[in-house]
């Protein structure tokens, strides 16, 4: 779904290492729950958030390829860790390391998704920001959004192959600052 971000301020918001930003969604990514910190950092009221697609906080610097990886993982019942930059209502941005997992109903089917986000290791962002920029540059070669997402997804896969690692190991290593 198309989402128009507010004019960006370039100002970064941060939050403490001990805090968690939490949301829950239905199987389509519609926000059903937001904790107090999410409401505070996003700048939206609970009423503005509930019932809205999660892409309402999407930041234009986020590569489509990361969201492709996200949805492919969670809809296949696998958890995913991802660095995400989000956009607040006032155009500020904030970085998170998100852990996104499916929740299951009594029939074993996916009943929704859950995301817990904490403040990222700042040194990890020194790796992630240029990587996402390269992924965005790759996407800029395509006018079709699906092709763009596939291209930057492939780009990420190539980079990981060259490094001889997997996505999970890569994220773990940069968060522990062992890249
Ligand atoms: C539980 C959950 C949490 C999500 N959290 C975020 C988030 O914090 N920021 C974001 O941009 N997208 C988040 N998404 C992904 C969005 O649903 C969406 O795929 C993404 O914003 C890309 O939107 P677009 O395809 O319209 O560009 C989340 C999805 C789920 C299921």
């Amino acid at each position: 779904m198309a989402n128009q971000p507010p004019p960006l301020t370039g100002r970064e918001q941060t939050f403490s290492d001990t805090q968690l930003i939490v949301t829950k969604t239905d199987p389509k990514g519609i926000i059903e729950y937001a904790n107090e910190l999410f409401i505070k950092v996003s700048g939206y009221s609970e009423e503005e958030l509930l019932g809205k697609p999660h892409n309402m906080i999407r930041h234009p610097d986020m590569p489509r390829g990361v969201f492709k990886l996200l949805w492919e993982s969670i809809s296949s019942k696998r958890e995913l860790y991802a660095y995400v930059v989000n956009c607040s209502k006032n155009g500020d941005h904030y970085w998170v390391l998100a852990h996104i997992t499916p929740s299951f109903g009594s029939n074993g089917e996916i009943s929704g998704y859950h995301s817990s986000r904490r403040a990222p290791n700042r040194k990890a962002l020194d790796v992630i920001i240029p990587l996402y920029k390269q992924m965005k540059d790759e996407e800029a070669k395509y006018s079709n959004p699906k092709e763009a997402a596939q291209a930057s997804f492939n780009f990420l896969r190539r980079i990981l192959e060259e490094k001889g690692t997997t996505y999970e190991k890569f994220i773990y290593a940069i968060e522990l600052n062992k890249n």
Side-chain angles (χ1 to χ4, degrees):
M1 199 178 298
N3 172 42
Q4 209 47 43
L8 301 174
T9 62
R11 258 193 324 257
E12 181 170 1
Q13 289 193 37
T14 53
F15 54 99
S16 112
D17 286 354
T18 57
Q19 292 179 300
L20 279 182
I21 296 181
V22 180
T23 54
K24 293 179 193 173
T25 73
D26 75 359
K28 290 191 166 157
I30 303 294
I31 301 170
E32 290 184 329
Y33 168 80
N35 77 344
E36 225 170 88
L37 185 60
F38 184 88
I39 291 168
K40 182 165 172 248
V41 175
S42 72
Y44 293 100
S45 68
E46 193 173 32
E47 297 72 53
E48 286 175 304
L49 290 166
L50 300 187
K52 301 283 168 44
H54 222 311
N55 70 0
M56 71 179 287
I57 57 162
R58 191 196 198 297
H59 192 287
D61 287 353
M62 275 304 293
R64 290 181 189 281
V66 173
F67 293 122
K68 178 176 166 64
L69 176 64
L70 165 66
W71 279 102
E72 282 191 3
S73 305
I74 61 177
S75 65
S76 309
K77 305 187 175 178
R78 283 180 278 118
E79 64 177 4
L80 189 87
Y81 284 90
Y83 291 92
V84 180
V85 62
N86 281 324
C87 196
S88 302
K89 187 178 181 179
N90 68 358
D92 290 358
H93 64 275
Y94 59 98
W95 277 97
V96 296
L97 174 57
H99 178 227
I100 305 137
T101 54
S103 318
F104 301 97
S106 51
N107 58 0
E109 289 308 307
I110 293 172
S111 57
Y113 300 106
H114 181 287
S115 176
S116 299
R117 310 159 179 90
R118 60 182 181 77
N121 173 343
R122 300 305 301 181
K123 289 209 167 144
L125 297 185
D126 294 341
V127 178
I128 289 295
I129 291 171
L131 173 65
Y132 283 7
K133 168 83 174 60
Q134 283 179 300
M135 290 175 76
K136 288 289 292 187
D137 288 347
E138 201 58 29
E139 292 178 10
K141 297 175 188 165
Y142 300 83
S143 54
N144 177 309
K146 276 202 173 156
E147 283 175 13
Q150 185 66 55
S152 80
F153 180 85
N154 292 345
F155 176 85
L156 176 62
R157 232 176 13 202
R158 270 202 311 277
I159 296 268
L160 295 171
E161 268 169 27
E162 278 166 25
K163 288 179 182 285
T165 191
T166 63
Y167 178 79
E168 286 76 16
K169 285 184 186 159
F170 171 69
I171 296 292
Y172 192 66
I174 60 174
E175 189 56 19
L176 294 179
N177 199 19
K178 288 185 181 159
N179 50 293

